[in-house]
Amino acid sequence: MTWEAVIGIETHVELRTHSKMFCGCPVGFGGEPNTRVCPTCLGLPGALPVPNEKAIEWTMRLGLALDCEIAEHSLFHRKNYFYADMPKNYQISQFDLPLCADGHLDVTTETGERRVGITRVHLEEDTGKSTHLGEGGRIGSSGGALIDFNRAGIPLMEAVTEPDIRTPEEARVYAQELRAIVLALGVSDARLEEGSMRFDANVSLRPAGVVELGVKVEVKNMNSMRSLQRALAHEIERQTEILDGGGAIAQETRHWDEEAGRTEAGRSKEESSDYRYFSEPDLVPLSVGDEEVGKLRAGLPELPAQTRARFEAAGVDATGARVLVTSGLGTLFDEAVAAGAAATEAAKWLTGEVTAYLNREDTDPAGLQIDGTALAELVSMVEAGDLSSTAAKHVLEGVLAGEGEPRRVAEARDLIQIRDEGALSEAVAAVVAAHPDEMARIAGGDGKLIGFLVGKVMQATGGKADPRRVSELIREAAAS
Ligand code: ADP
Ligand code: ZN
Ligand code: MG
């Protein structure tokens, strides 16, 4: 039997507003536990919620970026459940009347383009964060738990897709694209490793050609784009084995174990009726007018798909444009081009050496020690023949390490190419004089030996000669 995978993704994004969703406590990451709390976000009796207007606006911005309809009337609901990280025993969320619905996001992978339907984008509040003590941080083997309510009440957007995704790769690209949009909108820092962007991936299998959906499993706990793709690939394999063996899939939540490279059973999944949703009596319904939606739409920034198209129009190839946008290097690219760098050269450095540096150092563009002017300077030094391409890599290394502007680094590291013809001729002449046999063979037509002598000159000049010019000079010497 050939099985087709069906995937739908729920994404939570913590908004980086100044204050929390329903109280005035500041929003932040980390810090001393339980220091950014008040009666409202601790759920103390009698405390009343006051909604954060910015958070509502920002959620609508994401909705608009995903081509959603913005609801004229929407409502907050109470989602009732008991868990220690949520002291009210309910989470204020949205239910059947979300702020945004019926959008879509197009994703392009190696197998083609896919339109992923966006069922809804709604707004809720985050819960506290519990830490299970003991080895592995697992609840089962834990001797106790600590709870930090600093996160409780941070505005949380949730974007839910239709079950339109078909492969783990598409799922990853969807997630990357959504993250790029969130970053372009400037509404969250969307850090997977810190949990300000979190994915739950729902996956089921069905026999190829069948329309009806199979039983789904929800996979949680992936904290990188790579683990999202890996977790889904693994889960598809696990379900395939069960179904091929004549078994049935249990509807459940499973946790991805990054180290073991497999999913493990978690709790069985609640039905929505278990949550006893009812409309939040402490909040009035939201009503948004056309004028407001129009303003928000007009205020949208350039979105990643538009940025990619603009980069491609400037001469960057499709892969390069994609890497620039998903790695967050687009602004640096724009600045370098504005400072005079050729688009293709700026893109080459950013998608090559700079991206490799980011991966190696496991850091993001915000922490880079290079700006657009410096990158443009590096490009122009190569163009002018001041730096060989190898020397330019060393200069970039120095710039990224905080040694200063390219020219300063090149001088300090003694990497400027010899452009003085006299000095260059002298170095060539010395090598020519020391290798009469090789010169005779070159004169006799053995062109392969030129490279050998160029190498000697490069050695003698500490790599600072322009190899193309050296090669010309050797040819001239052999012909004379
Ligand atoms: P639940 O009530 O379990 O949260 P939803 O219907 O709200 O389920 O869907 C949650 C996510 O799971 C959505 O992204 C949806 O597209 C996806 N989904 C729903 N059914 C399936 C299925 N059979 N296989 C894969 N994904 C599914
Ligand atoms: Zn508070
Ligand atoms: Mg659901």
Side-chain angles (χ1 to χ4, degrees):
M1 178 85 76
T2 335
W3 302 100
E4 181 187 47
V6 173
I7 299 166
I9 297 181
E10 298 161 285
T11 309
H12 284 96
V13 181
E14 276 182 0
L15 296 175
R16 278 291 170 260
T17 43
H18 287 299
S19 56
K20 289 185 179 178
M21 186 60 223
F22 297 114
C23 63
C25 292
V27 165
F29 175 76
E32 187 68 20
N34 299 306
T35 50
R36 296 189 294 269
V37 292
C38 73
T40 301
C41 56
L42 285 175
L44 301 187
L48 288 173
V50 177
N52 182 327
E53 186 178 5
K54 262 273 144 7
I56 295 169
E57 235 179 72
W58 286 4
T59 303
M60 291 193 284
R61 271 158 67 85
L62 179 63
L64 289 170
L66 296 172
D67 272 311
C68 288
E69 299 293 328
I70 305 300
E72 223 175 301
H73 297 286
S74 61
L75 217 51
F76 283 110
H77 270 71
R78 287 189 183 181
K79 181 179 180 178
N80 297 279
Y81 66 96
F82 172 79
Y83 202 71
D85 63 15
M86 219 195 34
K88 296 199 298 286
N89 286 345
Y90 61 84
Q91 176 190 33
I92 303 180
S93 181
Q94 296 196 285
F95 183 49
D96 53 352
L97 292 171
L99 260 177
C100 325
D102 289 332
H104 59 84
L105 180 60
D106 294 328
V107 299
T108 311
T109 61
E110 291 191 354
T111 46
E113 180 154 310
R114 170 130 14 234
R115 174 155 290 195
V116 178
I118 303 293
T119 315
R120 56 192 281 147
V121 180
H122 75 243
L123 185 53
E124 56 191 34
E125 55 178 338
D126 209 347
T127 59
K129 193 170 163 53
S130 31
T131 305
H132 299 291
L133 300 174
E135 264 168 64
R138 289 249 163 244
I139 198 165
S141 58
S142 165
L146 297 174
I147 298 176
D148 176 8
F149 288 108
N150 285 347
R151 198 180 74 177
I154 291 181
L156 197 62
M157 291 189 299
E158 180 173 354
V160 182
T161 77
E162 290 291 296
D164 288 345
I165 298 167
R166 294 289 171 268
T167 66
E169 191 205 358
E170 276 179 9
R172 176 183 47 83
V173 175
Y174 164 79
Q176 283 174 328
E177 186 71 6
L178 186 63
R179 179 168 188 273
I181 291 174
V182 165
L183 290 177
L185 293 171
V187 298
S188 172
D189 54 14
R191 288 187 211 272
L192 275 64
E193 54 315 336
E194 288 181 2
S196 53
M197 183 168 212
R198 315 193 278 270
F199 299 102
D200 300 337
N202 299 268
V203 54
S204 63
L205 298 186
R206 63 183 172 191
V210 167
V211 175
E212 202 186 326
L213 297 179
V215 174
K216 77 174 157 75
V217 166
E218 184 185 40
V219 188
K220 286 181 179 293
N221 202 35
M222 291 79 73
N223 55 15
S224 72
M225 295 294 177
R226 186 170 162 266
S227 53
L228 172 66
Q229 183 168 347
R230 272 183 81 205
L232 280 167
H234 168 272
E235 183 56 25
I236 289 168
E237 221 176 271
R238 193 189 68 87
Q239 291 185 20
T240 304
E241 261 173 45
I242 293 174
L243 293 174
D244 280 344
I249 303 298
Q251 173 150 344
E252 61 184 354
T253 300
R254 298 182 68 87
H255 292 271
W256 171 244
D257 182 334
E258 179 72 35
E259 250 163 67
R262 58 163 186 261
T263 60
E264 274 167 22
R267 64 190 160 95
S268 64
K269 180 87 179 143
E270 291 85 358
E271 297 284 326
S272 109
S273 59
D274 293 333
Y275 290 121
R276 293 292 183 269
Y277 278 100
F278 62 88
S279 61
E280 168 59 71
D282 290 338
L283 292 168
V284 294
L286 295 173
S287 131
V288 185
D290 286 346
E291 199 186 323
E292 165 133 47
V293 172
K295 253 193 236 155
L296 287 172
R297 198 189 300 277
L300 286 182
E302 182 181 66
L303 295 172
Q306 297 165 323
T307 312
R308 280 194 301 268
R310 185 164 60 76
F311 290 173
E312 284 181 47
V316 181
D317 63 41
T319 315
R322 174 165 293 280
V323 173
L324 284 177
V325 171
T326 45
S327 59
L329 289 166
T331 310
L332 194 48
F333 170 81
D334 278 332
E335 285 168 3
V337 171
T344 46
E345 286 303 304
K348 193 189 81 191
W349 284 105
L350 289 171
T351 60
E353 302 298 312
V354 175
T355 299
Y357 172 86
L358 289 175
N359 293 337
R360 206 165 52 237
E361 300 290 312
D362 195 21
T363 178
D364 54 42
L368 282 177
Q369 302 254 33
I370 191 169
D371 60 14
T373 318
L375 183 59
E377 187 180 9
L378 184 73
V379 169
S380 92
M381 286 178 77
V382 175
E383 245 166 36
D386 285 343
L387 288 176
S388 69
S389 58
T390 315
K393 284 181 191 168
H394 292 300
V395 170
L396 180 67
E397 209 178 79
V399 174
L400 291 174
E403 291 169 25
E405 300 300 301
R407 188 160 293 279
R408 229 186 90 197
V409 175
E411 277 162 10
R413 291 192 174 200
D414 197 16
L415 289 166
I416 303 271
Q417 279 195 142
I418 303 169
R419 290 171 70 190
D420 172 18
E421 272 294 302
L424 206 56
S425 304
E426 234 170 79
V428 171
V431 168
V432 164
H435 296 86
D437 295 351
E438 284 83 354
M439 287 305 289
R441 281 162 62 191
I442 291 171
D446 189 353
K448 274 182 293 184
L449 273 171
I450 294 176
F452 170 73
L453 292 187
V454 170
K456 289 284 167 200
V457 177
M458 294 309 284
Q459 227 169 21
T461 56
K464 291 187 294 178
D466 172 2
R468 246 176 316 163
R469 184 68 192 127
V470 171
S471 157
E472 275 167 24
L473 289 173
I474 292 173
R475 252 178 243 279
E476 281 167 25
S480 67

